[in-house]
Amino acid sequence: MSTRIGYWKTAAAIAVGAGLTITASMAGAESVKMKLHSFGSPRQPETKWIFETLKNDFERHSGGTLTFQVYYGMALGGKPRDLIPQVENGVVDMSYTLPGYHAGRFPILTALELPFIASTGEAFSQAAWDWLDKYAHTEFKNIKVVTLNAIDVGVLHSTKKPIRKMADIKGMKIRVAGRYIGMAVQSLGGVPVQMPLPAVYESLSRGQTQGMMIPWMITVPFKFAEVTKYHTDTPIYHSLLLTAMNMNSWNKLDAKQKKAVDMSTGKSFAKRYGALWDKGAAPGLKIARTKGNEIIKLSADEEGRWREAAKGAHQAWIKEMDSKGRNGKQMFADLLAMVKKYSN
């Protein structure tokens, strides 16, 4: 316990010492500069699609009084799993993270990562905000949700063995991003392995894992086409990306600055961002084909078998909600209806 407390004190001291706290001007409206902590690289698409866009919109809507600086690659310390605690403890003002990194922290929100729910990031990103408003907001009582978006659909990539049918997965170690997609891999006969994205390339190249569930877009910045040879291009699941803000940081903003945040984010932003991710899948496919990798399409009957097997993950989530005194079956039905609303 003392080590953990020491970590947070050290991280906070580093943040303050580096001048990363909120600042203010001496005249006129307060000028606020927040610090945003991210697990990713500045080369990832979020830099242009989210961070630069939000920064410009924050400044424009606030009259130039609100901005932020991004610290990439866990530059302020800790592991990706620490990003939400860092926001909650005020070590940073905002964190950009994958909810799947925070096992057990968002059981309602992670329904959005269940397999075979949707096929486009654009539709799912909009449904995610409806889900947040109706159910998942209860998991963010001390956190301001700034962005919440789905990325392009995740598919199965493998290193040495082509996956043409469910039996081919048996015994393979497959990297997954979250608990429920891990359950889906297990139901298909594989062995799910959770690890942060920066560790995946080496794991695949060394044979420690033999495949991964990941969107096409992600294969580009991490050069995963170099260490995979086969790609079973069947839409299986979506991952979520989340920007969370410390509530004290939020409460320190004036009315115009808060309005600037709300005007810059929400469902309309999610729709645009989700559509960008959907379009971003094409470069990953192109690179894989250029390298001579094989793109595999499941037959309709085989995909049906996968979908049927993956229903065990749905039932596990429903059961977990029931155990918490909720109506899991109704919640799941609502989720499917929300996705259908934006998929038509």
Side-chain angles (χ1 to χ4, degrees), residues 74-148:
M74 303 304 301
L76 300 181
K79 303 290 185 182
R81 65 175 178 268
D82 296 317
L83 285 165
I84 289 298
Q86 285 177 350
V87 165
E88 291 176 320
N89 287 278
V91 175
V92 298
D93 300 301
M94 293 188 286
S95 281
Y96 181 72
T97 186
L98 190 77
Y101 286 156
H102 309 280
R105 177 63 177 78
F106 302 110
I108 298 175
L109 185 69
T110 49
L112 296 166
E113 297 181 349
L114 289 168
F116 297 111
I117 298 296
S119 59
T120 71
E122 181 177 0
F124 213 43
S125 292
Q126 295 173 85
W129 279 90
D130 288 355
W131 185 251
L132 177 68
D133 289 342
K134 186 165 186 177
Y135 292 117
H137 66 275
T138 59
E139 297 177 331
F140 293 92
K141 292 180 179 178
N142 299 312
I143 300 173
K144 166 74 175 176
V145 177
V146 179
T147 68
L148 177 65

Side-chain angles (χ1 to χ4, degrees), residues 168-190:
D168 294 333
I169 304 176
K170 187 174 182 179
M172 289 181 65
K173 292 182 179 180
I174 308 292
R175 185 268 178 183
V176 298
R179 176 186 175 194
Y180 288 105
I181 190 59
M183 286 184 181
V185 165
Q186 197 167 21
S187 70
L188 295 171

Side-chain angles (χ1 to χ4, degrees), residues 280-295:
L285 268 162
K286 183 178 179 180
I287 291 171
R289 289 192 175 108
T290 299
K291 288 186 173 294
N293 294 1
E294 183 179 354
I295 311 300

Side-chain angles (χ1 to χ4, degrees), residues 131-290:
W131 185 251
L132 177 68
D133 289 342
K134 186 165 186 177
Y135 292 117
H137 66 275
T138 59
E139 297 177 331
F140 293 92
K141 292 180 179 178
N142 299 312
I143 300 173
K144 166 74 175 176
V145 177
V146 179
T147 68
L148 177 65
N149 308 90
I151 59 179
D152 60 307
V153 71
V155 302
L156 178 56
H157 312 263
S158 55
T159 53
K160 297 181 179 180
K161 182 180 179 181
I163 308 300
R164 308 183 194 280
K165 56 186 183 300
M166 193 161 64
D168 294 333
I169 304 176
K170 187 174 182 179
M172 289 181 65
K173 292 182 179 180
I174 308 292
R175 185 268 178 183
V176 298
R179 176 186 175 194
Y180 288 105
I181 190 59
M183 286 184 181
V185 165
Q186 197 167 21
S187 70
L188 295 171
V191 179
V193 179
Q194 289 198 42
M195 68 177 69
L197 275 171
V200 177
Y201 186 102
E202 183 175 359
S203 176
L204 292 170
S205 64
R206 289 176 176 239
Q208 295 165 338
T209 50
Q210 293 82 50
M212 58 182 174
M213 290 275 195
I214 212 164
W216 277 110
M217 182 71 190
I218 295 294
T219 66
V220 177
F222 287 93
K223 300 182 179 180
F224 287 141
E226 295 178 355
V227 288
T228 54
K229 187 176 180 181
Y230 303 99
H231 311 272
T232 305
D233 193 31
T234 293
I236 299 173
Y237 78 105
H238 284 87
S239 282
L240 292 174
L241 289 166
L242 166 73
T243 307
M245 183 185 293
N246 173 270
M247 284 305 297
N248 287 334
S249 298
W250 169 252
N251 290 331
K252 288 177 182 178
L253 302 181
D254 64 29
K256 187 173 183 178
Q257 291 163 344
K258 288 180 178 178
K259 186 177 180 180
V261 173
D262 290 336
M263 288 176 66
S264 305
T265 57
K267 192 186 296 184
S268 61
F269 179 86
K271 179 181 179 180
R272 297 197 308 273
Y273 176 58
L276 286 170
W277 273 95
D278 290 336
K279 294 176 182 176
L285 268 162
K286 183 178 179 180
I287 291 171
R289 289 192 175 108
T290 299

Side-chain angles (χ1 to χ4, degrees), residues 261-336:
V261 173
D262 290 336
M263 288 176 66
S264 305
T265 57
K267 192 186 296 184
S268 61
F269 179 86
K271 179 181 179 180
R272 297 197 308 273
Y273 176 58
L276 286 170
W277 273 95
D278 290 336
K279 294 176 182 176
L285 268 162
K286 183 178 179 180
I287 291 171
R289 289 192 175 108
T290 299
K291 288 186 173 294
N293 294 1
E294 183 179 354
I295 311 300
I296 299 167
K297 293 287 187 181
L298 296 180
S299 68
D301 287 345
E302 184 62 26
E303 182 176 332
R305 284 188 280 273
W306 288 39
R307 286 177 174 271
E308 189 63 30
K311 286 182 179 179
H314 301 170
Q315 294 303 315
W317 182 84
I318 290 170
K319 185 177 180 180
E320 181 174 355
M321 291 300 102
D322 289 344
S323 72
K324 297 179 183 297
R326 295 178 174 272
N327 187 335
K329 186 176 180 180
Q330 183 60 56
M331 292 172 73
F332 184 69
D334 287 347
L335 174 60
L336 296 182

Side-chain angles (χ1 to χ4, degrees), residues 36-43 47 51 70-76:
L36 189 157
H37 204 192
S38 173
F39 66 92
S41 158
R43 296 187 301 274
T47 295
F51 303 142
V70 184
Y71 295 86
Y72 293 97
M74 303 304 301
L76 300 181

